[in-house]
Amino acid sequence: MIPKIWDWLTDPANWSGADGIATRVQEHLTYSLIVLAIASLIALPLGLWIGHTGRGRPLVSAANAARAVPTLGLLFALALWLGPRLSGDLAFTAPSIIVLVLLALPPLLAGAYAGVEAVDPATRDAARGMGLSDGQVLRQVELPIALPLLLSGVRAATLQVIATATIAAYVGLGGLGRFLIDGLAIGDYAATAGGALLVAVLALLVDLLLAGVVRLLVSPGLTGKQSRRRRVELSAAGPLIDRRRDVIPN
């Protein structure tokens, strides 16, 4: 089976055309970016507001509880209800986009809320004592401190959307899921396994990219790397300091 998968992946004919791998990867990324952009515009400001004000916490609990809803069942239900009311490609893409947005909301909302909620109250009080307004406290103090958890939520949502977008092919959405659905329909198991492998590789590459973004945006002091590096430097310098003490008389 592995040689067949390799042959399918390396066949130039499978990479070109409207149904080729390159086109499907582009479609998959496009749909994922659209979903994440819509979900971020909804969840991130709401999560920051809840964490900053302390109001609306039940919304976070309700969003986390919504994760228990079967994604495939919700997709079919929405496609059957919304599809006949729309025309053209929108009848297939709209239900999938809506369901994937609902899937991405909980981790984004929880990450933004938890990041701001975890800020030390003394830090907020000090910022207000310096004359900062509530908006300035949120933007200049709470948001930078909340970035590690907020970006963790973004990474979790991104992986879920990329992985779950494959099942949206059941209702006509494009992307890499077409290889799985069409491959199973015609018994082309090399294409099915190859499509699944492409989804996994795509999710891994995107997660590595986001990990690099996290390293660029998050202060080392918030991740603990700076303090660990300082301890290593001090431990390495310890023997040298001891030798200097032995050489220099008191």
Side-chain angles (χ1 to χ4, degrees):
M1 187 63 185
I2 294 179
K4 292 182 179 179
I5 298 174
W6 178 252
D7 291 339
W8 183 84
L9 289 172
T10 56
D11 187 353
N14 293 329
W15 285 84
S16 60
D19 297 329
I21 295 174
T23 302
R24 294 305 186 190
V25 170
Q26 181 181 359
E27 290 176 349
H28 206 97
L29 286 174
T30 300
Y31 293 136
S32 300
L33 287 175
I34 292 173
V35 168
L36 290 168
I38 296 173
S40 297
L41 289 175
I42 298 171
L44 294 184
L46 183 59
L48 293 175
W49 176 79
I50 295 174
H52 178 71
T53 63
R55 297 193 293 267
R57 288 191 178 97
L59 289 175
V60 180
S61 301
N64 288 327
R67 297 185 184 188
V69 178
T71 305
L72 187 59
L74 181 61
L75 177 63
F76 283 149
L78 194 59
L80 291 174
W81 176 74
L82 193 59
R85 293 170 171 78
L86 301 173
S87 59
D89 293 339
L90 195 62
F92 302 103
T93 58
S96 302
I97 295 295
I98 293 173
V99 170
L100 291 175
V101 167
L102 294 176
L103 177 71
L105 286 176
L108 290 171
L109 182 62
Y113 160 74
V116 177
E117 179 72 11
V119 175
D120 190 347
T123 304
R124 295 192 185 96
D125 294 338
R128 293 189 177 99
M130 295 174 61
L132 298 183
S133 64
D134 278 351
Q136 290 174 324
V137 171
L138 177 60
R139 293 190 303 270
Q140 301 179 22
V141 178
E142 292 177 331
L143 182 56
I145 297 175
L147 269 182
L149 288 176
L150 188 151
L151 293 176
S152 294
V154 172
R155 290 177 67 179
T158 301
L159 292 177
Q160 289 183 15
V161 168
I162 290 176
T164 312
T166 56
I167 68 172
Y170 274 111
V171 296
L173 191 72
L176 294 173
R178 295 306 326 168
F179 293 126
L180 280 73
I181 305 304
D182 297 340
L184 288 173
I186 63 176
D188 188 353
Y189 299 112
T192 302
L197 181 61
L198 288 172
V199 173
V201 171
L202 180 63
L204 179 60
L205 292 177
V206 171
D207 189 58
L208 290 175
L209 177 62
L210 291 176
V213 172
V214 171
R215 293 191 64 178
L216 288 175
L217 295 181
V218 177
S219 170
L222 295 176
T223 60
K225 293 181 179 179
Q226 190 175 49
S227 59
R228 288 196 297 269
R229 189 184 307 117
R230 181 63 176 168
R231 288 196 297 269
V232 171
E233 292 174 353
L234 290 175
S235 62
L240 178 60
I241 295 174
D242 293 338
R243 287 196 297 271
R244 286 181 177 177
R245 288 175 178 172
D246 294 337
V247 172
I248 300 174
N250 294 326

